[in-house]
Amino acid sequence: MISHENRTSTIVAALLLVSAVVLVYAKTAGFAFVQLDDYEYIVYNDAVKAGLTAGGVRWAVTSSYMANWHPLTWLSHMADVSLFGVAPGPQHLMNALLHALSTAVLFLALKRMTGAVWRSAFVAALFGIHPLHVESVAWIAERKDVLSGFFFMLVLLFYERYARRGGTARYLLVMLFLSLGLLS
């Protein structure tokens, strides 16, 4: 059983991690589209610009547009456009939020694996705010990286649970998140 102090430390650490990552990457809300791929992915892509539609879902599943087949990434871009329109700021923030959630899930996975709250938080913080991730978080077209990273962290968390307790349902959750990561 987890002690109240351990649970409180875990919640505080997770909130601090999410806050730190969002704080570091919040400035991307003021960034424009990146000239490399963002325009091709969002602004000039009629399927994405239409938002989340039945035709867009068909396109996402069958298209290898720009030499990539990543239907879940396309669907996430379409959802962004449906929610926020063709505006770069909210899409940059969505990347930051996905990265912050990945950091929190990594922390939870490491904490479950090791039992060490603050050491796990430190490692997750290194992942979350390391400059290596700036390109993926600040470049909208790199949603594929932050989205697949999020699902990979969920794979780690749920694999730990499967490894400790076994069970078909836990194994299927691992396979589900692995598949979603691959579709990203």
Side-chain angles (χ1 to χ4, degrees):
M1 182 164 215
I2 300 173
S3 72
H4 177 69
E5 182 179 322
N6 194 352
R7 182 176 293 132
T8 301
S9 296
T10 300
I11 292 168
V12 167
L15 290 173
L16 286 172
L17 286 166
V18 168
S19 299
V21 173
V22 168
L23 184 64
V24 166
Y25 290 106
K27 64 184 101 188
T28 64
F31 292 2
F33 288 112
V34 176
Q35 290 291 333
L36 295 172
D37 292 342
D38 286 354
Y39 283 95
E40 289 296 325
Y41 263 60
I42 312 295
V43 179
Y44 305 142
N45 186 329
D46 291 335
V48 171
K49 275 193 333 191
L52 205 48
T53 65
V57 171
R58 270 191 307 281
W59 178 85
V61 171
T62 60
S63 173
S64 60
Y65 185 73
M66 297 204 47
N68 290 303
W69 185 76
H70 43 50
L72 203 53
T73 298
W74 290 125
L75 293 173
S76 77
H77 286 305
M78 291 173 190
D80 281 357
V81 169
S82 289
L83 292 170
F84 313 116
V86 182
Q91 295 182 49
H92 283 297
L93 285 178
M94 188 59 68
N95 278 7
L97 180 61
L98 283 167
H99 187 61
L101 292 174
S102 295
T103 301
V105 174
L106 173 62
F107 160 67
L108 294 174
L110 292 172
K111 190 247 175 210
R112 285 189 58 86
M113 288 178 204
T114 66
V117 174
W118 297 109
R119 283 181 280 170
S120 298
F122 178 75
V123 172
L126 285 177
F127 168 80
I129 61 174
H130 195 281
L132 185 64
H133 295 288
V134 169
E135 181 179 322
S136 294
V137 177
W139 184 9
I140 296 168
E142 281 300 300
R143 170 73 54 87
K144 55 189 162 277
D145 185 43
V146 292
L147 196 57
S148 65
F150 174 68
F151 289 117
F152 175 71
M153 299 310 171
L154 286 171
V155 167
L156 288 177
L157 180 65
F158 282 91
Y159 183 77
E160 183 279 334
R161 291 178 180 186
Y162 167 74
R164 284 189 196 263
R165 297 186 197 124
T168 303
R170 288 183 188 90
Y171 183 74
L172 290 174
L173 281 172
V174 171
M175 291 297 103
L176 170 68
F177 293 127
L178 177 63
S179 298
L180 291 173
L182 292 172
L183 291 170
S184 298

